């Protein structure tokens, strides 16, 4: 399976809009949403059937067994994350604050603390003639990188598609590094602002360190053509192919509200997005 990953240095650049459009244009039989903190690809690509859902277990978290606790307070005293408190009756662990370090279990002489598997989110697998793998992390849970790996594994385990589009996580952290694993090419979607340029340089370095080839697409290029030119200069200097620039189109937001992609109806951006898609496919043919 050849995988095209769509990423951006931060959220709000139009990454998912472009990923949804590319999925539609390629009629991809396999695709995934790795933005597990805020998945929204399903809003543009409505699914017919309900998904198969599975609990995702992150790190173990501490649980205090009330009957065994002798109330010595050692666990509260040693928890560096301030996750244990006496509520007037008993000692309790705040699972949102617990980082699973296990110190409380170690200091408890009464053997009243148990490190317990914790449901940190859920994976969702849609099989509607195509395979769509996605997941959602519970608010306040870590392990987003591990969940991204699970999303990608679900895609490759259940789909025999020869080409897949993966909507990556925004930013440059652990989930993005997990998104980059095993992909054939990463398309970096950026916007023409100074912060967009700065994010582009960081995400490009992250992809390069991961050994993944990149291309760039400037979304809403016409809101600042001066910075668009600077982005092109950066790409020239670093031998990064730049796809067709995409103009600002207020219809992009409306497409999501109508559960459509931006290439499902006539709008200003459509031919530009289509051109960018054909360019990236041509680039991937050589891989
Ligand atoms: S260290 Fe153990 S016995 Fe002491 S308060 Fe904590 S859970 Fe209870
Ligand atoms: S496992 Fe670590 S973070 Fe969690 S409650 Fe115990 S000491 Fe605090």
């Amino acid at each position: 399976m050849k995988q095209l990953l769509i990423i951006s240095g931060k959220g709000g650049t139009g990454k998912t809009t472009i990923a949804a459009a590319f999925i539609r244009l390629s009629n991809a039989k396999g695709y995934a949403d790795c933005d597990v903190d805020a998945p929204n690809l399903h809003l543009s690509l409505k699914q017919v059937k309900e998904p198969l859902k599975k609990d995702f277990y992150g790190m173990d978290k501490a649980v205090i067994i009330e009957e065994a606790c002798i109330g010595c307070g050692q666990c509260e005293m040693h928890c560096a994350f301030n996750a244990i408190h006496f509520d007037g009756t008993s000692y309790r662990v705040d699972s949102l604050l617990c980082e699973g370090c296990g110190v409380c279990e170690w200091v408890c002489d009464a053997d009243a603390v148990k490190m317990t598997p914790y449901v940190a989110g859920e994976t969702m697998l849609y099989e509607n003639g195509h395979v769509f793998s996605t997941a959602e992390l519970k608010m306040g849970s870590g392990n987003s990188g591990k969940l991204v790996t699970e999303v990608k594994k679900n895609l490759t385990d259940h789909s025999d598609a020869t080409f897949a589009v993966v909507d990556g996580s925004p930013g440059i952290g652990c989930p993005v590094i997990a998104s980059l694993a095993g992909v054939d090419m990463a398309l970096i979607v950026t916007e023409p602002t100074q912060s967009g340029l700065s994010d582009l340089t960081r995400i490009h370095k992250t992809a390069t360190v991961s050994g993944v080839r990149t291309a760039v697409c400037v979304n809403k290029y016409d809101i600042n053509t001066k910075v668009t030119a600077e982005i092109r200069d950066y790409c020239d200097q670093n031998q990064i192919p730049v796809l067709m620039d995409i103009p600002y189109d207020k219809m992009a937001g409306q497409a999501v509200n109508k559960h459509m992609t931006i290439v499902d109806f006539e709008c200003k951006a459509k031919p530009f997005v289509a051109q960018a898609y054909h360019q990236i496919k041509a680039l991937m043919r050589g891989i």
Side-chain angles (χ1 to χ4, degrees):
M1 175 189 286
K2 264 192 186 172
Q3 292 184 34
L4 169 63
L5 175 70
I6 320 281
I7 47 176
S8 61
K10 68 170 179 64
T13 60
K15 168 180 71 63
T16 299
T17 301
I18 290 174
F22 282 13
I23 290 164
R24 187 70 86 221
L25 289 165
S26 62
N27 195 20
K29 294 284 176 241
Y31 53 94
D33 186 352
C34 291
D35 187 356
V36 296
D37 289 301
N40 57 5
L41 188 59
H42 61 285
L43 299 178
S44 295
L45 299 161
K46 229 171 169 319
Q47 307 296 311
V48 185
K49 283 198 225 156
E50 286 300 305
L52 176 68
K53 295 182 176 181
K54 271 194 190 158
D55 284 341
F56 165 72
Y57 290 88
M59 62 191 162
D60 289 356
K61 298 216 179 196
V63 171
I64 293 174
I65 316 296
E66 220 175 307
E67 303 73 48
C69 174
I70 55 170
C72 69
Q74 287 297 309
C75 52
E76 181 185 31
M77 205 183 305
H78 286 89
C79 175
F81 300 95
N82 216 15
I84 301 180
H85 293 289
F86 186 66
D87 68 1
T89 313
S90 49
Y91 282 89
R92 296 198 181 281
V93 178
D94 182 339
S95 56
L96 285 180
L97 295 177
C98 175
E99 289 288 328
C101 67
V103 166
C104 51
E105 185 183 41
W106 194 69
V107 298
C108 179
D109 287 338
D111 207 15
V113 181
K114 292 274 170 277
M115 298 306 292
T116 310
Y118 179 77
V119 176
E122 68 178 356
T123 59
M124 287 153 276
L125 186 73
Y126 296 87
E127 293 189 86
N128 298 318
H130 58 259
V131 171
F132 172 32
S133 174
T134 181
E136 184 155 20
L137 200 64
K138 260 193 199 171
M139 202 182 290
S141 299
N143 300 106
S144 48
K146 198 174 157 197
L147 184 51
V148 166
T149 302
E150 198 66 27
V151 168
K152 294 186 70 182
K153 185 172 181 308
N154 260 347
L155 174 66
T156 50
D157 283 357
H158 292 89
S159 172
D160 56 4
T162 52
F163 175 70
V165 178
V166 179
D167 186 12
S169 320
I172 55 162
C174 181
V176 180
I177 293 164
S179 301
L180 283 160
V183 305
D184 297 281
M185 178 160 258
L187 174 62
I188 304 171
V189 178
T190 187
E191 60 181 12
T193 60
Q194 286 302 334
S195 68
L197 177 54
S198 162
D199 293 334
L200 163 65
T201 60
R202 294 189 313 154
I203 189 72
H204 172 242
K205 281 179 191 144
T206 305
T208 305
V209 167
S210 302
V212 175
R213 284 183 57 184
T214 54
V216 163
C217 177
V218 186
N219 192 23
K220 307 174 203 161
Y221 80 92
D222 46 350
I223 62 170
N224 191 334
T225 49
K226 183 171 170 287
V227 180
T228 295
E230 286 176 38
I231 290 171
R232 285 187 162 266
D233 285 347
Y234 172 82
C235 293
D236 279 352
Q237 285 157 21
N238 291 279
Q239 291 96 45
I240 311 168
V242 183
L243 309 185
M244 173 63 84
D245 294 332
I246 296 170
Y248 172 73
D249 188 342
K250 63 178 189 305
M251 297 300 283
Q254 293 181 23
V256 178
N257 293 337
K258 291 176 184 165
H259 300 297
M260 294 168 112
T261 80
I262 200 158
V263 294
D264 288 337
F265 55 92
E266 293 312 314
C267 62
K268 187 169 139 191
K270 179 177 177 176
F272 296 86
V273 174
Q275 178 67 16
Y277 166 71
H278 291 302
Q279 288 172 319
I280 197 87
K281 281 293 280 183
L283 285 171
M284 290 188 76
R285 243 172 253 131
I287 296 174

